[in-house]
Amino acid sequence: MDVFGLVGNPVGHSLSPPMHEAAYDALDVNARYVTFEPSEGALDRAFAGSEALGIAGLNVTIPFKQRALELVEPDALAARIGAVNTVDFSGTPTGHNTDAVGATRALAHHDVPLDGRAVVVGAGGAGRAVSFGLADEGMSVAIANRTESRAHDLAADVPEATGHGLDALPDLLADADVLVNCTSVGMGEGDERPNETPVPAAALHGDLAVLDAVYSPLDTQLLRDARAAGATTVDGAWMLLYQGVAAFELWTGRDAPVDAMNEALRARV
Ligand code: NAP
C-alpha cells in the first residue's frame, strides 16, 4: 500500500484526503492519504522521516511551501514560483507546484481561452503561482496588490508582467479577459466579513472570466458581483480540484478520475 499525505499547520479541515481517496477508490489504487501537522521548525525532520518510511508523496501547504523548496530538488516551475506544494519521494525527492496548473486547468475546464490579458489580484503564494501559470500559457499578466511593492517584485520575475496597486484595478480590468482573485479577501464563515471583495463591482463586465481562489465560502461576493455583471465565473474549488488532479497524476502516472474527485470535494466544501 502506498501512503500519500498533506503536511501543513493547521490541516484539520483539509479537503484533500476525501478528494484523493475518492480517486484511489475510483481507480482501485491501493493507497491511503493522511494529514500531518508538524511544528514550524520540524519540516526537515518530517521530510527525512517520510523518505525513510517510504511515504510515496506529500502535498505541502501553509506555512511550509517556501521551506519545502529548500529541502527537495525543485522542478523549474517550482523554483521560479519559489514554493513547493507537491513532493514526490520516488527516487530523489523532487518538488513541484501544482497551484499554477490548478488555476489554468480550472479556467480551461470552463472553456476560458488562455490568451489575451489577465489581471491577478494578490502577490502572495497563490498570486505568484497563478501569475506564472497564466504567463506561461501566453497571457499578458497585470498583478495588483494591496502592498504595491510586492506586485512590482513579482512582476519583475514573471515574463512580460506589470505590477500595480489595487487602485489601478478599474483601468486594468477595462480591457481584460481573465481576472483571478488570489487574495484572502472574501474568505470566512458566518459573520467573519464574507461580503468583502478586493475588486470594485463597477469594474467587472460581461467579457470577463473570473476565478476566485477563495473556496470557503464557495460563492464569494466577488463571484456574485461577477455573475451580476454577466461574467463567466469559476469558484475556488475548481482550482483546488485541479491542483489535486495534477498531484495525483504526477504521483501515479495515471489520468486522474476528475469527476470522482470533484464529487467528493463538492460534497464537503
Ligand atoms: P498569502 O501568501 O498570505 O497572500 C495573501 C494575499 O492577500 C496577499 O497578496 C495580501 O496582500 C492579500 N490580502 C490579504 N488581506 C487583504 C486585504 N484586506 N485587502 C487586500 N489584499 C489583502 O496567501 P495565499 O497562500 O496566497 O492564499 C490566498 C488565498 O488563496 C487564500 O484564500 C487561500 O485559501 C487561497 N488559495 C486557494 C487555492 C485553491 O486551490 N483554490 C490555492 C492556494 C491558495 P499584501 O501583500 O498587501 O499583504
Side-chain angles (χ1 to χ4, degrees):
M1 186 184 72
D2 285 331
V3 176
F4 298 94
L6 171 68
V7 185
N9 198 340
V11 290
H13 297 294
S14 172
L15 299 165
S16 290
M19 178 170 64
H20 281 276
E21 296 217 329
Y24 308 150
D25 286 347
L27 296 186
D28 226 359
V29 175
N30 186 17
R32 294 299 309 269
Y33 188 103
V34 290
T35 56
F36 301 102
E37 215 171 81
S39 58
E40 276 220 49
L43 191 67
D44 49 350
R45 281 179 286 134
F47 276 8
S50 299
E51 203 183 345
L53 291 171
I55 284 178
L58 289 175
N59 285 130
V60 182
T61 190
I62 289 171
F64 296 122
K65 288 184 185 184
Q66 285 77 22
R67 175 73 182 128
L69 182 80
E70 299 164 13
L71 299 175
V72 298
E73 199 68 54
D75 69 8
L77 180 62
R80 288 160 76 214
I81 293 169
V84 158
N85 81 332
T86 304
V87 176
D88 182 1
F89 284 103
S90 59
T92 303
T94 53
H96 311 268
N97 192 308
T98 65
D99 284 335
V101 79
T104 54
R105 282 179 78 172
L107 289 163
H109 180 104
H110 291 81
D111 298 322
V112 177
L114 295 175
D115 51 23
R117 295 169 187 272
V119 175
V120 173
V121 193
R128 286 192 70 83
V130 171
S131 295
F132 279 104
L134 295 174
D136 286 357
E137 290 289 332
M139 300 199 80
S140 79
V141 179
I143 302 152
N145 196 49
R146 175 179 63 179
T147 309
E148 190 175 340
S149 59
R150 287 186 86 191
H152 290 295
D153 290 348
L154 174 54
D157 293 342
V158 176
E160 318 244 343
T162 55
H164 310 265
L166 294 180
D167 55 348
L169 279 172
D171 284 348
L172 295 173
L173 286 169
D175 59 356
D177 305 291
V178 167
L179 164 67
V180 185
N181 173 38
C182 293
T183 73
S184 45
V185 180
M187 217 170 102
E189 302 292 341
D191 293 332
E192 287 178 47
R193 307 189 298 172
N195 294 327
E196 293 195 336
T197 166
V199 182
L204 301 169
H205 54 78
D207 294 330
L208 269 177
V210 180
L211 165 63
D212 199 337
V214 170
Y215 55 83
S216 177
L218 213 45
D219 196 32
T220 59
Q221 186 64 45
L222 172 61
L223 292 183
R224 288 194 288 273
D225 292 344
R227 258 198 316 275
T232 301
T233 57
V234 182
D235 67 51
W238 290 106
M239 179 172 162
L240 187 64
L241 170 68
Y242 277 106
Q243 64 76 32
V245 162
F248 177 91
E249 292 178 346
L250 196 138
W251 288 328
T252 65
R254 301 175 67 172
D255 286 344
V258 176
D259 291 342
M261 293 173 78
N262 191 33
E263 205 176 297
L265 182 59
R266 287 193 183 264
R268 291 163 179 88
V269 78

